[in-house]
Amino acid sequence: MQLTGNALCYGDHVDTDVIIPARYLNTSGPKELATHCMEDIDPNFLSKVKPGDMIVAGINFGCGSSREHAPLAIKAAGVSCVIAKSFARIFYRNAINIGLPIIVCDGDFHDGDKLTVDLGAGTLQNTTTGEQYAFSPFPAFLQKIIQAGGLMNAMAGGDIA
């Protein structure tokens, strides 16, 4: 599976409270959550993000509470994947469970860089700078979950054993 989009860059320790503020947790509807995605860290996020774009961050992305609302909001906003130097473990798994690819990569990126990710090959290319990075591809069973659009879809379709 290959993904292409622009980088939207953030720093370290982006927590779930700024990904989707707690005041919006009275809904679990992805479209509604998307309208508030990242608004406390970047009020212009929704005007910048285009379908397929990628959030790029530093260490410990998704720290804080274990709410599944955070990756849901990101995915529903049109983000194709999140790339960070490291992730909070519960965010990582929640993202996989809803079919949002999460990539651990220690590269340097800037807002607007054009990125291409090959999930199967484990490569990330910054086509703006020409740099290429390798990351550990997901095991086959996680790739099936992501390709199915999440764990529940994969189970319903019999795509995982």
Side-chain angles (χ1 to χ4, degrees):
M1 175 185 251
Q2 196 166 53
L3 309 170
T4 302
N6 295 324
L8 300 168
C9 297
Y10 298 93
D12 295 338
H13 308 292
V14 176
D15 67 60
T16 55
D17 289 328
V18 297
I19 295 170
I20 185 67
R23 62 188 174 275
Y24 302 115
L25 296 181
N26 58 347
T27 183
S28 59
K31 287 183 182 180
E32 178 64 23
L33 291 170
T35 65
H36 302 290
C37 186
M38 306 295 278
E39 74 180 29
D40 280 3
I41 193 171
D42 183 357
N44 298 314
F45 177 78
L46 287 180
S47 65
K48 294 189 297 190
V49 68
K50 305 290 181 257
D53 284 351
M54 303 174 193
I55 291 177
V56 179
I59 61 168
N60 203 25
F61 187 89
C63 58
S65 70
S66 62
R67 63 182 69 133
E68 191 176 65
H69 294 71
L72 275 173
I74 291 170
K75 184 177 178 183
V79 172
S80 65
C81 71
V82 180
I83 302 161
K85 294 180 180 180
S86 68
F87 291 90
R89 196 73 201 148
I90 191 72
F91 178 89
Y92 185 96
R93 193 56 207 206
N94 281 338
I96 297 298
N97 285 346
I98 61 130
L100 177 66
I102 300 298
I103 297 163
V104 176
C105 180
D106 198 20
D108 285 322
F109 304 97
H110 299 21
D111 269 338
D113 282 355
K114 307 265 186 243
L115 306 177
T116 300
V117 173
D118 187 324
L119 294 174
T123 60
L124 188 163
Q125 182 167 4
N126 184 334
T127 57
T128 300
T129 66
E131 293 187 50
Q132 187 159 325
Y133 304 90
F135 61 89
S136 296
F138 295 108
F141 79 98
L142 290 182
Q143 287 187 40
K144 288 179 183 179
I145 291 171
I146 291 167
Q147 289 172 351
L151 179 62
M152 297 306 287
N153 291 343
M155 291 179 69
D159 292 335
I160 59 173

